[in-house]
Amino acid sequence: AVKKERSTQIFGNEMTPAVIAKAEKTKRKFLKEFGDDSGTEFIVTGYDIPELDRMGVRNLGVERASGRDGTPVNLESDPKAVVIGNIRMGFGHYRISIAMASAARSLGYHPWLFDLHSFKETTGGKIIAKQNSLYSLGSRLSQQYALFNKLYWEPLNSEGFRKLSYNAVDQKTAELMATPCALLPRDIPYVATHVWPSQAAIHAGMTHVVNAIPDNWPMALHLSEGAIHTVQTPSSWFGYKTLNGMCADRILKPMDDGSLVYTGHYIDHELVSNLEQDTAARIARLSSNSTKRVLLTVGGAGAQKELFAALINSMLPLVEKNKVALFINVGDHQSVFESLKNEIPALSRANVHANDWDETVSFADQALRGDVQGIHLFWNKSIFSAVYATNLLMRASDLLITKPSELAFYPVPKLHIKRIGGHEAWGAIRSAEVGDGTIECPSTPQALNMLDLLLNGTEALTLMNESILTAAKSGIYSGAYRAVELAVAGRA
């Protein structure tokens, strides 16, 4: 049941009748399209995640009481249980979820992933699936059509999602996502890595909810009043605290005291605990002029395939001379994998690590200990393998090439290529200021120029590695631990 109306007033700021009416209309539309699941009997079930077994992470399911596949789980009996509420929307929110689970495990807790998107029989799961499909389509179109990107996608992702009125509509829709959360113990520590699982938990009456905000650009989209909001940067804290720009030029009442906490970057325990030795290994490879390992993460929808092809082609001569080794992870999108091979004939000679998680883990471990040469292509059909392969390979890489999304915050030298959505620009700004990544390179010539600078010298990569060590000492990469600690604090 909904505990409080959260669409009419947000942190004391009144919404207009038109906004409230739109919120109600949107909820009615989704109810008509997907039905009402509040009267359906569901249970919570548990599943192992073989790919994350080394971190002790398991997965929760929500299934109809009749005809279930999983084993029922009683979280009430485990005082160390922590739930990580998430959805799949690209790889970013899953990656942050795994970071939270990793941190929770390192602190002695038992993490469970809780993916509202995967609950296909629930109203909320159906809504999220539709919204995710639309977002993926928009991402692809934004890279194919410059006018669409300029006139619609960039403004939507930077200013449209920024509006307080957008949050009001989302809050009303999130009422339809509360059914799965109502099955959990009300006081269980719960860290959400997307706003919908956070809003759903609050609507279900949960009391220990942390809303881990992913982006560095303050947007009302990410507000979940009733939760503790965490942000990764001080500048983001000030933007959210004052709800800056979320209602045109109107000065808004600020977020309540205690509802917003700056934690630092959300990074996996495995990366943070090994940061000094991994950085030392990178510096040693630079000093000895060893083969540079370059990791490319191709976006899930393959939206920047042409840019990646240009970058890969530019590095092929260096690969031939053993000056560069390439790690290319296309996630769980086999079509992108095959398309890249068709576009770049040289990839037909690559070492292919396809849908074999044990072999991928073995390769990543070996890369930490020994030399690596050539081109290595990675593809796994499991979402967990697809996401976490990048984390494993990151430790042994000297340079990560990525759009400035969630990976912009990770402690590895980075080349930031063109963003997909205006909000991502601020991830590159943060990274460049910390010193662990480049400025954003929005065009192919700029990206190629920056890549040449990084690979044919030592100054830039040395600066990044030194900056990573400095940032680590100040706790910048400890945000996941702090988010978990906020969720478990005060639980009886």
Side-chain angles (χ1 to χ4, degrees), residues 44-53 55-62 73 75 81-88 91 93-105 110-119 180 184 188-193 197 268 382-385 387-388 484:
V44 177
T45 55
Y47 298 84
D48 292 330
I49 306 175
E51 301 89 343
L52 303 182
D53 184 62
M55 291 159 33
V57 182
R58 300 190 69 202
N59 202 26
L60 291 172
V62 168
V73 172
L75 295 175
V82 172
V83 175
I84 315 296
N86 63 87
I87 66 168
R88 174 173 184 174
F91 290 162
H93 299 284
Y94 254 42
R95 194 181 314 283
I96 297 171
S97 295
I98 295 171
M100 295 297 181
S102 170
R105 180 70 171 181
H110 305 153
W112 293 86
L113 299 185
F114 191 68
D115 176 10
L116 271 67
H117 187 185
S118 70
F119 308 150
L184 301 174
I188 197 166
Y190 182 97
V191 181
T193 61
D268 314 62
S382 162
I383 177 62
F384 299 108
S385 302
V387 171
Y388 207 65
V484 172

Side-chain angles (χ1 to χ4, degrees), residues 236-347:
S236 184
W237 188 92
F238 282 102
Y240 274 104
K241 182 66 177 180
T242 60
L243 305 179
N244 181 51
M246 295 185 187
C247 195
D249 295 329
R250 175 183 163 194
I251 301 299
L252 299 171
K253 295 179 182 178
M255 293 178 66
D256 300 337
D257 289 350
S259 66
L260 179 66
V261 179
Y262 160 59
T263 59
H265 301 185
Y266 312 135
I267 309 297
D268 314 62
H269 171 70
E270 289 73 23
L271 290 165
V272 176
S273 61
N274 290 294
L275 182 148
E276 289 189 5
Q277 70 185 61
D278 292 345
T279 306
R282 292 186 188 108
I283 293 172
R285 287 192 291 271
L286 276 175
S287 300
S288 62
N289 200 29
S290 298
T291 303
K292 294 183 175 73
R293 294 96 171 271
V294 180
L295 170 61
L296 298 90
T297 60
V298 183
Q304 295 176 307
K305 187 178 58 182
E306 291 77 14
L307 172 56
F308 276 105
L311 292 168
I312 292 167
N313 278 318
S314 76
M315 288 185 279
L316 291 179
L318 296 175
V319 174
E320 291 293 329
K321 298 175 183 177
N322 290 329
K323 292 182 178 295
V324 165
L326 290 181
F327 306 153
I328 305 170
N329 182 23
V330 298
D332 60 351
H333 290 263
Q334 188 177 15
S335 60
V336 177
F337 177 79
E338 298 298 336
S339 180
L340 269 179
K341 288 198 298 180
N342 290 335
E343 287 195 23
I344 307 173
L347 294 186

Side-chain angles (χ1 to χ4, degrees), residues 18-145:
V19 168
I20 296 169
K22 181 179 179 181
E24 294 282 1
K25 181 180 179 181
T26 302
K27 180 181 178 180
R28 289 195 301 270
K29 181 192 74 172
F30 282 127
L31 268 176
K32 182 178 180 180
E33 185 173 0
F34 298 117
D36 183 358
D37 65 4
S38 59
T40 305
E41 185 180 358
F42 293 106
I43 62 168
V44 177
T45 55
Y47 298 84
D48 292 330
I49 306 175
E51 301 89 343
L52 303 182
D53 184 62
R54 60 167 59 189
M55 291 159 33
V57 182
R58 300 190 69 202
N59 202 26
L60 291 172
V62 168
E63 305 174 43
R64 291 180 184 269
S66 59
R68 67 176 183 267
D69 294 321
T71 303
V73 172
N74 179 16
L75 295 175
E76 291 274 13
S77 63
D78 183 4
K80 289 290 187 178
V82 172
V83 175
I84 315 296
N86 63 87
I87 66 168
R88 174 173 184 174
M89 186 166 278
F91 290 162
H93 299 284
Y94 254 42
R95 194 181 314 283
I96 297 171
S97 295
I98 295 171
M100 295 297 181
S102 170
R105 180 70 171 181
S106 75
L107 294 170
Y109 297 98
H110 305 153
W112 293 86
L113 299 185
F114 191 68
D115 176 10
L116 271 67
H117 187 185
S118 70
F119 308 150
K120 303 299 184 184
E121 295 183 298
T122 67
T123 302
K126 296 170 185 175
I127 293 171
I128 294 168
K130 178 175 181 176
Q131 300 292 80
N132 185 40
S133 177
L134 290 172
Y135 192 84
S136 295
L137 175 62
S139 294
R140 291 193 300 274
L141 292 176
S142 72
Q143 300 306 296
Q144 295 171 16
Y145 304 103

Side-chain angles (χ1 to χ4, degrees), residues 407-427:
L407 284 169
F409 298 91
Y410 273 70
V412 58
K414 294 172 292 287
L415 164 56
H416 294 299
I417 58 174
K418 182 181 179 180
R419 63 184 180 264
I420 299 180
H423 60 293
E424 291 186 344
W426 291 84

